Amino acid sequence: MSNIQYVTKEGLEKMREELKQLESVERPRITQQIAEARDKGDLSENAEYDAAKEAQGLLETRISKLQDNIANSRIIDSSMLDASKVSILSVVTIKNLKNNSQVTYTLVPETEADLKNGKISVNTPIAKGLLGKKQGEKTEITLPNGNVLNLEIIETKLG
């Protein structure tokens, strides 16, 4: 059963670049480490060999996951999205009605979330509470810790 995930063109390219790096640089490096450790003799008491084999297992798991993600990715066509409502790829400016602070977020697929750059996953409680809303609407969002945010959407546009 496939697990389709929606990504931006940039997000898909980033996954492809990481996969290429892992396959062409990291995999040969770990293979070399295993060969060097094997040359040192008795494998039953060789910590370097064990560490290299463990690193190889983790690397192969990551490569497999990336290959699966890339195969199941579908690029989001922003021209098909409704710019008047908050949706994936929306740039949303919200105001906290309790303290009047404003913040701007871009709602992105989970694999592209980057809070430092103002990109939050559409799967977060805040994003879920904003989806489908329009500029000027107010919404109440209950966070996992039980706190309630009262927000107003100041502006929404496609990024």
Side-chain angles (χ1 to χ4, degrees):
M1 189 166 102
S2 69
N3 208 4
I4 292 180
Q5 66 177 354
Y6 292 93
V7 297
T8 62
K9 186 176 179 182
E10 295 78 22
L12 182 58
E13 191 55 40
K14 189 175 175 183
M15 283 192 288
R16 287 181 175 149
E17 286 172 15
E18 182 182 355
L19 179 61
K20 183 178 176 185
Q21 165 77 14
L22 294 177
E23 289 178 329
S24 64
V25 177
E26 296 300 320
R27 184 183 273 163
R29 183 180 63 78
I30 289 178
T31 301
Q32 180 65 32
Q33 287 176 347
I34 291 171
E36 289 172 7
R38 188 179 297 129
D39 290 343
K40 292 183 180 177
D42 185 10
L43 297 181
S44 65
E45 295 181 15
N46 190 329
E48 285 180 47
Y49 179 78
D50 292 340
K53 287 299 280 183
E54 184 176 334
Q56 181 184 41
L58 294 171
L59 176 70
E60 293 303 326
T61 299
R62 179 69 183 140
I63 287 172
S64 177
K65 185 173 175 16
L66 271 172
Q67 289 171 332
D68 188 48
N69 286 348
I70 290 168
N72 292 314
S73 290
R74 303 294 178 265
I75 294 178
I76 301 164
D77 183 357
S78 60
S79 68
M80 302 297 284
L81 300 174
D82 181 355
S84 69
K85 295 179 185 174
V86 177
S87 66
I88 193 164
L89 300 185
S90 289
V91 178
V92 185
T93 301
I94 54 176
K95 179 168 75 171
N96 183 326
L97 296 174
K98 185 175 182 181
N99 61 17
N100 285 327
S101 65
Q102 288 189 16
V103 65
T104 300
Y105 292 121
T106 303
L107 278 53
V108 296
E110 189 168 344
T111 57
E112 299 176 37
D114 180 3
L115 192 55
K116 286 182 186 175
N117 291 312
K119 296 179 177 183
I120 62 171
S121 165
V122 293
N123 296 331
T124 62
I126 291 175
K128 286 180 179 179
L130 297 173
L131 290 172
K133 303 283 191 290
K134 295 183 177 188
Q135 184 172 320
E137 277 191 65
K138 295 178 181 170
T139 185
E140 184 176 284
I141 300 169
T142 303
L143 301 176
N145 65 4
N147 290 343
V148 176
L149 289 177
N150 288 301
L151 304 173
E152 179 181 355
I153 299 168
I154 304 299
E155 181 182 21
T156 182
K157 61 186 177 187
L158 284 177

